[in-house]
Amino acid sequence: CLASFAGTVSAANEPPRVEFQSEPDRIHITIGDKPFASYVFKDEQIWRPYFAHVRTPGGVQITRNHPPRKNDIDDHALLHPGIFLGFRDISGHEYWHQRAKVIGGDFIEKPKAGRGKGTFTVRNRYLTTDGNQTVCEEVCRVSILVRPAGTLLFIDSTFTPGDAGCAFGDEEEMGFALRVATPVAVKSKKGGRIADSQKRQNESGIWGRQADWCDYSGTVDGHAVGVTLMPHPGNFRRCWFHVRDYGLILANPFGRSAFTNSEKSKVIVAKDETLRLRFGVFVHATKANGKPNLAAAYQDFLKQTAPLP
């Protein structure tokens, strides 16, 4: 009886399983049999991969409805579908506003389910505007980690250029982004708030500033929920945050001139070189009026990542 009881306690304390269900154009991700997100890699209207309908551990959707529904803030409907990497200028080709395509769905490592963790690795090809050549390839390693205070989505991308090399330009819209659900947006005037690691708040205080992390939180149906974007300090440059009260956070290490009015920069990746970018997204929920320990969540994010070679 004692052995049976101990086994029951052990099982109860184990983290829930991260599982995947594959479809021809997307992967549905569940945690403990509850929806977490969908990773979409083929979409006729959106020419780059993205995570849609991301949910907190309690089941509250923290990213926007895609497509927007009645009463949603509906700007940038095809540009901000959820969580995504986007670039306005790679060697003169424009992927943010979808002038050129990113071809995804080439899974180097198929989705691997597990208790407390799920992973997959996918190759994405960034095509020239005419679609005839490859500008660069991205190998993106995705990890979904169940944490005591929420869920950590970890993105580890390595870019390899084509034979001519490639160059990342200096623009506002370059990097890793997320768009929150309408009730969380500051613009909705329902208590939503943007805050960064330096205790600055909202678009007026954060836009164009550098920080360790930036959080967008609010209340949805009585639940205190939020999502924190955390660039890795091992990236080639510290990120500036492009944030909007209508619901956007973008971590951008490329836009030096765009944010500081200094000399225009360009990040050149030669033929035999690579560029590595890492980002974390912490999806959290607390009791009403609760405050998550985001500084601790950031330190936890750093512990999950191996040092750069």
Side-chain angles (χ1 to χ4, degrees):
C1 291
L2 288 174
S4 175
F5 177 74
T8 302
V9 172
S10 176
N13 290 334
E14 289 182 342
R17 287 185 62 83
V18 179
E19 301 278 3
F20 302 93
Q21 181 183 353
S22 297
E23 293 188 6
D25 61 349
R26 67 194 64 207
I27 298 170
H28 298 292
I29 307 166
T30 59
I31 299 177
D33 296 326
K34 296 180 180 179
F36 169 65
S38 293
Y39 176 71
V40 182
F41 51 87
K42 291 182 182 178
D43 187 324
E44 292 183 358
Q45 292 185 303
I46 300 179
W47 296 351
R48 44 183 157 81
Y50 59 90
F51 291 87
H53 305 134
V54 179
R55 296 178 180 273
T56 69
V60 177
Q61 186 174 308
I62 189 63
T63 59
R64 78 183 311 179
N65 290 316
H66 174 66
R69 300 173 185 170
K70 185 179 179 181
N71 299 324
D72 279 343
I73 300 172
D74 61 1
D75 62 89
H76 302 86
L78 296 180
L79 301 183
H80 305 164
I83 299 175
F84 58 94
L85 265 173
F87 303 96
R88 189 167 182 175
D89 177 13
I90 305 180
S91 297
H93 303 283
E94 222 271 41
Y95 303 95
W96 185 274
H97 293 98
Q98 305 188 105
R99 310 285 193 266
K101 289 186 177 182
V102 181
I103 305 299
D106 180 10
F107 287 89
I108 301 171
E109 296 177 0
K110 293 184 178 181
K112 181 180 179 181
R115 188 166 293 281
K117 182 178 181 179
T119 61
F120 62 86
T121 302
V122 62
R123 178 187 288 114
N124 302 314
R125 288 195 303 127
Y126 289 68
L127 302 183
T128 53
T129 305
D130 60 14
N132 293 331
Q133 294 178 297
T134 298
V135 176
C136 62
E137 289 188 350
E138 172 200 5
V139 173
C140 181
R141 298 169 179 85
V142 176
S143 301
I144 300 97
L145 306 175
V146 179
R147 314 310 299 152
T151 306
L152 176 62
L153 173 65
F154 179 50
I155 304 295
D156 185 344
S157 287
T158 300
F159 292 83
T160 302
D163 291 340
C166 68
F168 290 77
D170 189 329
E171 302 285 348
E172 279 187 11
E173 292 114 344
M174 298 279 290
F176 196 61
L178 63 88
R179 180 68 186 261
V180 298
T182 292
V184 179
V186 174
K187 184 178 178 179
S188 294
K189 298 182 179 180
K190 295 182 178 181
R193 186 187 72 151
I194 316 171
D196 70 6
S197 59
Q198 303 302 309
K199 299 183 180 181
R200 296 176 292 237
Q201 292 190 24
N202 298 344
E203 180 179 331
S204 60
I206 298 173
W207 190 95
R209 304 290 185 89
Q210 293 178 316
D212 291 337
W213 50 261
C214 189
D215 178 77
Y216 218 131
S217 296
T219 303
V220 180
D221 297 330
H223 299 276
V225 296
V227 58
T228 313
L229 179 49
M230 303 178 290
H232 196 279
N235 292 341
F236 73 93
R237 185 188 287 159
R238 200 177 190 209
C239 285
W240 292 273
F241 279 96
H242 172 41
V243 301
R244 295 300 189 197
D245 287 346
Y246 59 64
L248 176 72
I249 299 180
L250 166 64
N252 180 347
F254 299 96
R256 186 178 69 187
S257 176
F259 296 112
T260 68
N261 293 319
S262 59
E263 183 181 355
K264 200 86 168 177
S265 65
K266 185 175 290 187
V267 178
I268 297 173
V269 187
K271 176 183 177 182
D272 298 323
E273 297 178 341
T274 59
L275 176 68
R276 189 181 186 187
L277 297 174
R278 294 187 287 180
F279 300 93
V281 176
F282 179 57
V283 181
H284 56 85
T286 62
K287 295 180 180 179
N289 300 319
K291 292 184 178 182
N293 189 337
L294 299 181
Y298 178 69
Q299 292 303 316
D300 178 59
F301 160 64
L302 298 182
K303 290 178 182 178
Q304 308 307 316
T305 61
L308 281 167

